[in-house]
Amino acid sequence: MRIGLITPDPGHPLLAGAAALLAADHVVEALDPTPAGDAPVPVPRRPADVYLLKSGTPHAVGLARELERRGAAVLNSAAATALCQDRTEMAGLALRAGLPFAPTRTVGPFSEWACGSPLAAPVVVKSRHNRKGDLVARADDTAELRELARAWPREPVVVQEYAPNSGWDHKLWAIGGQVFAARRRSELAPGGQGPNLPLSPEELPSGWAGLVREVGAVFSLDVFGVDIIDTGGGTPLIVDINAFPGVRGQSEAPAALASLTLRRATAHRRPHV
């Protein structure tokens, strides 16, 4: 089989590990979605059996859409990936589906909203568009909010009320239904983020692994991450969903991805009756 990697970084540990396992019996080709100047990214004349979309940039999603139009299988789909890049759309779908997602308001350009009414309670402000280096910050009062706005004046943002929690994020990932987990000190906690501390699924509060799989079904995702905080007594609150995250520090993740890739490629090649 031929397997394509849509990514500017084929050396990423998860992709590189899966590719090494697949390359023993299959052809693995990297396809960089980054355009050269004004020239569009060339689309292969003969698509691979399956593509792994490990990038959420507009160019990468556009390339994946074109490959899908030409009959290729893409994992995750272009539509599912694009949905996870827009936190307004993400929150809307999650809440309509009844998932325990943090209530989210879209307020437009940050500086315009921050100049309005005084802040009554702590909030978390995030870039509307999920990308590397985006804004994710907590503001406890009006002064902190306006200081943030001065640094990101035109940034389209969403706002979530700050939910008191332990200060630890639970990073949960799924690859084809297999759930991986870690704990990490929240970037919003004093002192900032720390390293991921792996957890076994059995160490998670009851129902959390099933919740992750439900997220996958609602968002039509096969490889994804769910950021959850415990608001007390194991009560989960989802604060973010990511398509095709890094899943770092999980030794079994590359094998799970390789297995999922072959299953998807085989299913796509099988004649429909």
Side-chain angles (χ1 to χ4, degrees):
M1 293 185 184
R2 291 175 56 239
I3 297 151
L5 311 178
I6 303 176
T7 177
D9 182 19
H12 183 284
L14 175 62
L15 282 183
L21 294 170
L22 292 165
D25 300 300
H26 308 279
V27 176
V28 181
E29 305 163 329
L31 184 57
D32 190 341
T34 308
D38 295 329
V41 178
V43 180
R45 254 187 282 180
R46 178 173 165 254
D49 294 291
V50 65
Y51 287 91
L52 306 184
L53 177 54
K54 181 71 175 77
S55 175
T57 67
H59 290 293
V61 173
L63 176 58
R65 286 191 196 280
E66 179 59 23
L67 288 165
E68 289 173 337
R69 190 186 69 81
R70 298 187 184 194
V74 179
L75 192 167
N76 300 293
S77 72
T81 300
L83 179 58
C84 290
Q85 301 309 112
D86 186 329
R87 289 189 169 105
T88 297
E89 297 297 324
M90 176 199 303
L93 176 57
L95 291 167
R96 287 193 302 274
L99 296 171
F101 196 93
T104 302
R105 290 182 290 153
T106 301
V107 298
F110 194 179
S111 61
E112 294 179 17
W113 174 72
C115 289
S117 301
L119 196 62
V123 296
V124 177
V125 182
K126 300 179 181 180
S127 297
R128 173 173 177 171
H129 301 291
N130 186 353
R131 65 193 187 277
K132 186 175 181 180
D134 62 0
L135 170 65
V136 179
R138 173 181 169 180
D140 287 342
D141 53 39
T142 302
E144 289 184 0
L145 184 72
R146 292 178 179 171
E147 183 179 353
L148 272 176
R150 282 192 290 272
W152 299 78
R154 304 306 303 165
E155 182 75 1
V157 295
V158 300
V159 178
Q160 299 170 342
E161 290 186 11
Y162 175 74
N165 62 88
S166 66
W168 289 85
D169 290 339
H170 285 78
K171 312 289 289 186
L172 278 69
W173 305 283
I175 300 177
Q178 185 172 348
V179 175
F180 302 88
R183 268 196 331 154
R184 184 173 69 185
R185 193 70 181 162
S186 172
E187 62 189 311
L188 305 177
Q193 281 182 347
N196 285 348
L197 304 176
L199 295 172
S200 69
E202 292 74 23
E203 294 178 278
L204 294 171
S206 176
W208 282 29
L211 175 60
V212 171
R213 296 186 181 99
E214 185 180 355
V215 169
V218 168
F219 281 79
S220 300
L221 292 165
D222 295 289
V223 183
F224 60 98
V226 184
D227 293 351
I228 298 178
I229 58 175
D230 184 344
T231 58
T235 301
L237 183 68
I238 300 171
V239 294
D240 221 345
I241 299 167
N242 298 283
F244 222 124
V247 200
R248 294 180 184 272
Q250 304 287 331
S251 60
E252 297 179 10
L257 180 57
S259 177
L260 172 63
T261 300
L262 292 179
R263 294 199 305 272
R264 180 56 56 85
T266 300
H268 190 69
R269 292 179 70 179
R270 185 180 300 128
H272 294 286
V273 179

